[in-house]
Amino acid sequence: MDTSMQDDTWMPTFYVGQYETDRALPVTSSVLYQAHDCNYDMLTTPITTPFFRHRVQELVTQALQNRIGGDDQASIPTIPPLTLPDTPLTPGDITSQLLAFVSPWIDLCSPDPLISNISRQVLYLEIAYAAFCGIEYVFIPGPKLYHGDAVTHGTPQYARAVQEALSIGSHLSIHIILSMIADPIEASRAEMGNLASQTRPEYIDEVDELRPQKPDMFGTWDAWNTIRTVCKYSNRLFVALSLPKELPPLSVQSRWYSEPVKLLAMTPDTFSYNKHNKPVLSDLLKSFITRLMRVKVTPWILLCDVGPIPGLDDPEAKISVSDGFLSPDTVADAATSPTPAEAASRFQSTSRHTDDLTPHLSYIRWLQRRQPPRTIVEKYGSGYQDYLQVPLQPLTDNLESMTYEVFEKDPVKYDLYEQAVRQALRDWRDEEKPTSNPDGRVVVAVAGAGRGPLVTRALQASKAENVEIDLWAVEKNPNAYVLLQRHNKEDWDRAVTIVQSDMRSWTGPSHHDPSTSTLPNSSIHQTSNASSDPTHYPIDILISELLGSFADNELSPECLDGILHLLAPDYGISIPRAYTAFLTPIAAPKLHADISSRNSWDPTAPDTPAVVWLHAIDYLSLAAKPPYPDSDTSENNSSNLKGKNKAPSANATTPTTPLPSSPLILPTWSFHHGPLPSVPSSNTHNTRHARLSFRTRHRGVCHGLGGYFEAVLYPGIELSTNPETMERKSASMISWFPIFFPLRTPLYLPDHSLLVVNIWRQTDGRKVWYEWMVEVFGYNLLLGGETRLVRLGGGEVGSSVKNGCMM
């Protein structure tokens, strides 16, 4: 992790392939190596030849003639097995670098049973042979949503065919070639010469729904959702996304960003051309590609029909290398891990000349070198995008030093803590508050000191404000306790009293016999070996860093309940003072697929909230101005926030009104910490319930809830993981990833639906767990114009009771 934090020369790896509709077959090793020399990484190949297509077309024509002749009940013909002239593929060393394309002329969605059956036979034959040859990546043309002037509903039968293909090719991955939106005009152009054009009119006439005049922005995504749902979110099923010149709205872009996009296909129509007639991409397209190149597994780029591979007719000729150096001012190549093509191109550096025979590839390589540097958060989280982690059990497990070290890498959090301690000490001095230590020092205790970063910050704050403190460090981990002693001896000049104890059983600071104050271990206390009854006194400032990804999920309230009675009753300060948990519904298909794959060996996986850097997701509910009138936050546990556990002030924790396109992230509940008269006799006061409502504008699928928090360390000093306020309150903070509450069964949401979330924080006195439920409602228009809210689905309760956080 240190390397990624210090690497300023990082550059994403672009794997670029080349596709030709009329490629000369077969693709041999010499062709592939020539492509590498030109700076391509991989090539495509059809699985079958035009000869095979002609053979199938004749079979279909004969079958159609038999039916016209009156034999409408004739059986559907069977395509004979492949023969040598039918396929250019053969097993070999280069197959791993070939992308195999299923015949684009089939129509798995056809309403005509003859066409759809023949298409399935072609698919199964080609998949079986590709698997035999050792092909790893197969690409299938996406479902045809329109036939003639009608909308056909053949996506389920298409999905069933893909599901069967996955079982036939059990070791290869399948990529569905999809456009970003469903455009009926473009679809009609693609039908010419394909089996779809041979669909019999009587089957199209049976379709009730006519072809729309305008594109359906989420139509293609809707079809993809059906396919992957039928295929049970297979981890061998991906999207190959065809990029248009003009991108659809941001809502559509965000939806595809959340999906498993493995390839970006670009044709000459994707590019614009500058005044020198050189291909370029629009700024919006460049931004979209940059965003996709930040995901954990970056997509490949496929340049389609942008020209042949130079030099195939004359292998000895010197050719230009598309290395991306478009001008002398371009910086040197900083890639540390070159692709096979980049490695080969280094031997061609002396053969560059001004004639660029692959301008599209040159532009993509240039774009690769112009990618913006990673942010601090991206450097820190590299490799952890959408990686599920089980939350810590800090009360039952003693953390390893490496775990502490990860937390301590965040300077932002500790800077804010130091600011909070400084402000508290400054106010204490300026307001002339009495101190609990008779010698006039402010009594400061760090509860859960770990390896001591907050202790160091407290000492620095004391020195900066010129306010003397009586500093205590309490830590239950016996291993960390040893390190704290070393720090006290070597770094802190024995200015800290170290106590090995669970904070909930610690009896508090105490006076010591002056005659022992100079002994070597005078600042080391263990609660189990006290030789006399000391005189205890209160804590003035209590500092802790017990927050989890959902604020309270690592039992900060329960831990502090056991020590807050030691705070000075009139002036005692807790840092943090308060914190609030937030939720929003999200589409996270990659996370759902990961959890589903774990379900076979971990049945509790779908009911376990996970800490995860939410990366490839789509927010399903967007904020509006003014806020939605029925966004229900009135039940955010106001009845449960009694006594000392009241919500913090609105101006301290409520996020500012977000922009119209920002996600709607609502508060669930809050905890406030200050002096308590005594240790609570039970934990029921820490239970919570919230009911939240979210409107959705566009259809989608809810896979779970994203959880965040905001905390008030001291008035005016806050930290946040809430995407809406993090930049303002604690920019570049890396200590916490969000939390994800999964849904066992994803919920489909129609356009303009209402999502209602209920979430509970439960306890039985031994552990704490969460329960959550999501329901979706739609609006039913009645006669007379009245609308009625109708429940459409949901209601399954998730519960982490089996993996609750032990007290």
Side-chain angles (χ1 to χ4, degrees):
M1 188 170 294
D2 288 337
T3 301
S4 66
M5 289 291 287
Q6 298 171 2
D7 180 15
D8 294 327
T9 62
W10 171 88
M11 183 174 66
T13 301
F14 282 24
Y15 286 92
V16 185
Q18 190 250 21
Y19 172 92
E20 287 184 57
T21 301
D22 300 320
R23 187 188 303 282
L25 300 175
V27 178
T28 62
S29 58
S30 60
V31 173
L32 181 64
Y33 297 152
Q34 184 69 16
H36 283 176
D37 288 342
C38 295
N39 220 355
Y40 284 111
D41 297 297
M42 50 202 167
L43 294 179
T44 65
T45 178
I47 300 174
T48 54
T49 63
F51 177 83
F52 175 72
R53 176 178 181 174
H54 178 70
R55 191 157 64 87
V56 173
Q57 292 277 18
E58 286 186 338
L59 201 65
V60 172
T61 301
Q62 184 61 47
L64 290 173
Q65 289 176 351
N66 292 339
R67 282 159 172 74
I68 294 174
D71 189 9
D72 192 55
Q73 301 302 316
S75 61
I76 295 175
T78 300
I79 301 175
L82 297 178
T83 61
L84 183 60
D86 290 327
T87 177
L89 286 181
T90 187
D93 295 336
I94 68 169
T95 53
S96 63
Q97 297 177 61
L98 295 180
L99 310 181
F101 276 63
V102 167
S103 295
W105 41 268
I106 63 175
D107 183 9
L108 296 168
C109 287
S110 177
D112 188 328
L114 172 65
I115 301 300
S116 61
N117 187 287
I118 292 292
S119 297
R120 286 195 298 274
Q121 290 186 57
V122 172
L123 173 67
Y124 299 157
L125 280 171
E126 295 188 348
I127 290 291
Y129 187 71
F132 166 77
C133 290
I135 291 289
E136 298 180 27
Y137 313 106
V138 173
F139 293 77
I140 303 178
K144 291 180 172 59
L145 305 181
Y146 310 105
H147 289 79
D149 293 327
V151 176
T152 50
H153 301 282
T155 304
Q157 68 186 34
Y158 178 99
R160 177 64 187 85
V162 173
Q163 184 185 43
E164 182 65 21
L166 284 167
S167 64
I168 293 172
S170 57
H171 298 292
L172 52 76
S173 59
I174 289 179
H175 306 71
I176 309 300
I177 305 170
L178 298 168
S179 58
M180 295 190 75
I181 62 174
D183 189 341
I185 298 177
E186 290 295 327
S188 64
R189 294 172 183 165
E191 289 180 7
M192 302 304 295
N194 296 337
L195 288 183
S197 62
Q198 296 182 264
T199 302
R200 288 169 286 179
E202 57 266 29
Y203 289 99
I204 296 179
D205 293 341
E206 293 178 358
V207 179
D208 296 331
E209 188 176 351
L210 294 178
R211 179 199 299 265
Q213 299 300 313
K214 296 181 179 180
D216 182 353
M217 292 297 169
F218 287 90
T220 306
W221 173 85
D222 231 341
W224 159 250
N225 180 58
T226 299
I227 297 165
R228 57 100 176 275
T229 301
V230 170
C231 296
K232 297 181 171 59
Y233 286 78
S234 170
N235 58 9
R236 295 188 292 117
L237 184 64
F238 301 93
V239 172
L241 196 61
S242 180
L243 295 183
K245 179 180 295 186
E246 296 183 3
L247 286 175
L250 283 173
S251 56
V252 181
Q253 297 176 42
S254 296
R255 182 62 50 81
W256 285 118
Y257 174 75
S258 70
E259 300 294 348
V261 176
K262 190 63 174 292
L263 182 140
L264 301 174
M266 303 181 193
T267 68
D269 292 337
T270 307
F271 292 83
S272 301
Y273 294 85
N274 61 19
K275 61 182 180 180
H276 302 293
N277 202 31
K278 297 294 184 180
V280 294
L281 295 175
S282 68
D283 289 342
L284 290 178
L285 267 173
K286 288 190 291 186
S287 297
F288 183 66
I289 292 171
T290 295
R291 187 182 180 194
L292 282 170
M293 290 302 172
R294 278 346 196 227
V295 299
K296 187 174 183 179
V297 180
T298 57
W300 305 329
I301 294 175
L302 187 65
L303 297 177
C304 305
D305 293 323
V306 295
I309 299 171
L312 286 180
D313 54 345
D314 185 7
E316 300 300 323
K318 292 184 177 181
I319 59 172
S320 61
V321 179
S322 301
D323 56 10
F325 293 99
L326 302 184
S327 71
D329 296 331
T330 309
V331 296
D333 187 355
T336 56
S337 301
T339 67
E342 291 170 330
S345 71
R346 291 177 177 175
F347 298 100
Q348 300 289 329
S349 59
T350 59
S351 62
R352 298 176 189 155
H353 57 81
T354 57
D355 295 331
D356 190 353
L357 301 180
T358 54
H360 299 83
L361 177 59
S362 296
Y363 179 82
I364 293 299
R365 291 303 184 193
W366 174 83
L367 184 63
Q368 175 182 0
R369 288 172 170 80
R370 293 297 297 270
Q371 292 298 292
R374 291 179 297 182
T375 64
I376 293 176
V377 175
E378 287 173 335
K379 291 178 183 179
Y380 173 83
S382 178
Y384 288 92
Q385 303 99 313
D386 301 309
Y387 177 73
L388 297 165
Q389 303 175 74
V390 178
L392 297 175
Q393 292 266 10
L395 291 184
T396 56
D397 299 334
N398 288 322
L399 303 182
E400 300 292 336
S401 179
M402 185 176 296
T403 304
Y404 288 117
E405 183 179 355
V406 172
F407 299 150
E408 293 168 13
K409 288 181 180 293
D410 187 354
V412 175
K413 176 180 70 174
Y414 292 109
D415 285 347
L416 290 170
Y417 263 96
E418 183 174 341
Q419 291 176 33
V421 177
R422 287 188 62 176
Q423 188 62 50
L425 291 174
R426 187 182 308 132
D427 291 346
W428 203 285
R429 178 193 61 208
D430 295 346
E431 297 173 13
E432 299 181 349
K433 297 179 182 178
T435 62
S436 297
N437 192 319
D439 64 10
R441 292 180 295 164
V442 178
V443 182
V444 178
V446 177
R451 302 199 315 175
L454 284 181
V455 177
T456 299
R457 294 297 185 134
L459 291 171
Q460 292 176 183
S462 171
K463 182 178 180 180
E465 295 299 325
N466 196 26
V467 176
E468 292 190 32
I469 61 174
D470 175 15
L471 184 56
W472 294 70
V474 184
E475 176 55 51
K476 75 173 182 63
N477 187 338
N479 303 309
Y481 172 69
V482 175
L483 183 59
L484 289 173
Q485 295 178 58
R486 186 173 302 278
H487 281 316
N488 200 28
K489 177 182 178 182
E490 299 177 357
D491 304 318
W492 300 332
D493 196 26
R494 300 188 183 279
V496 184
T497 305
I498 303 172
V499 180
Q500 183 189 353
S501 172
D502 187 317
M503 69 182 74
R504 296 171 296 178
S505 58
W506 183 42
T507 54
S510 59
H511 292 293
H512 305 287
D513 186 346
S515 64
T516 64
S517 61
T518 59
L519 294 178
N521 63 347
S522 62
S523 59
I524 301 174
H525 284 221
Q526 289 181 291
T527 57
S528 59
N529 61 358
S531 58
S532 60
D533 293 331
T535 302
H536 294 280
Y537 51 89
I539 301 168
D540 295 324
I541 301 176
L542 176 66
I543 310 170
S544 63
E545 52 172 336
L546 306 171
L547 298 173
S549 294
F550 200 50
D552 55 77
N553 61 296
E554 293 183 11
L555 304 191
S556 176
E558 284 72 19
C559 292
L560 293 178
D561 275 352
I563 195 173
L564 285 174
H565 69 285
L566 301 178
L567 268 182
D570 296 323
Y571 301 103
I573 296 171
S574 172
I575 299 176
R577 169 175 290 196
Y579 36 85
T580 303
F582 290 77
L583 279 179
T584 189
I586 60 174
K590 294 180 183 179
L591 296 182
H592 178 77
D594 190 357
I595 291 172
S596 298
S597 66
R598 301 182 183 201
N599 198 25
S600 59
W601 51 269
D602 182 11
T604 65
D607 290 318
T608 303
V611 173
V612 56
W613 182 18
L614 297 174
H615 201 70
I617 65 167
D618 186 24
Y619 295 107
L620 295 172
S621 182
L622 301 181
K625 290 183 178 181
Y628 295 120
D630 60 348
S631 292
D632 182 4
T633 58
S634 61
E635 296 188 34
N636 289 343
N637 200 44
S638 58
S639 60
N640 291 327
L641 297 173
K642 298 178 180 179
K644 297 295 182 181
N645 286 304
K646 295 180 181 178
S649 61
N651 60 0
T653 61
T654 302
T656 57
T657 303
L659 298 174
S661 60
S662 60
L664 181 63
I665 303 176
L666 297 180
T668 55
W669 49 63
S670 300
F671 288 88
H672 181 91
H673 296 300
L676 287 176
S678 61
V679 177
S681 59
S682 70
N683 197 39
T684 56
H685 65 289
N686 284 326
T687 60
R688 294 288 189 273
H689 168 240
R691 182 180 183 274
L692 312 171
S693 296
F694 301 88
R695 283 190 185 274
T696 64
R697 301 177 186 176
H698 308 292
R699 74 197 82 162
V701 173
C702 180
H703 296 97
L705 307 170
Y708 311 90
F709 77 89
E710 296 179 11
V712 180
L713 298 180
Y714 192 76
I717 303 171
E718 305 178 42
L719 52 81
S720 171
T721 66
N722 183 344
E724 290 304 291
T725 59
M726 181 175 179
E727 190 66 25
R728 176 170 56 87
K729 295 184 177 183
S730 50
S732 300
M733 186 176 66
I734 57 179
S735 285
W736 292 275
F737 289 151
I739 198 167
F740 178 63
F741 293 90
L743 297 186
R744 185 177 289 270
T745 304
L747 271 179
Y748 183 82
L749 316 173
D751 291 325
H752 306 294
S753 56
L754 179 69
L755 210 62
V756 176
V757 175
N758 278 277
I759 185 167
W760 297 264
R761 188 180 196 267
Q762 304 280 56
T763 182
D764 60 4
R766 296 182 301 108
K767 61 183 175 182
V768 173
W769 70 94
Y770 297 95
E771 295 179 358
W772 59 97
M773 181 176 71
V774 181
E775 299 173 285
V776 57
F777 295 84
Y779 293 94
N780 192 7
L781 183 61
L782 305 178
L783 292 176
E786 180 185 356
T787 58
R788 177 177 298 172
L789 204 60
V790 179
R791 186 177 181 276
L792 302 178
E796 191 174 17
V797 177
S799 175
S800 62
V801 62
K802 293 183 179 180
N803 287 325
C805 202
M806 302 302 296
M807 297 172 57

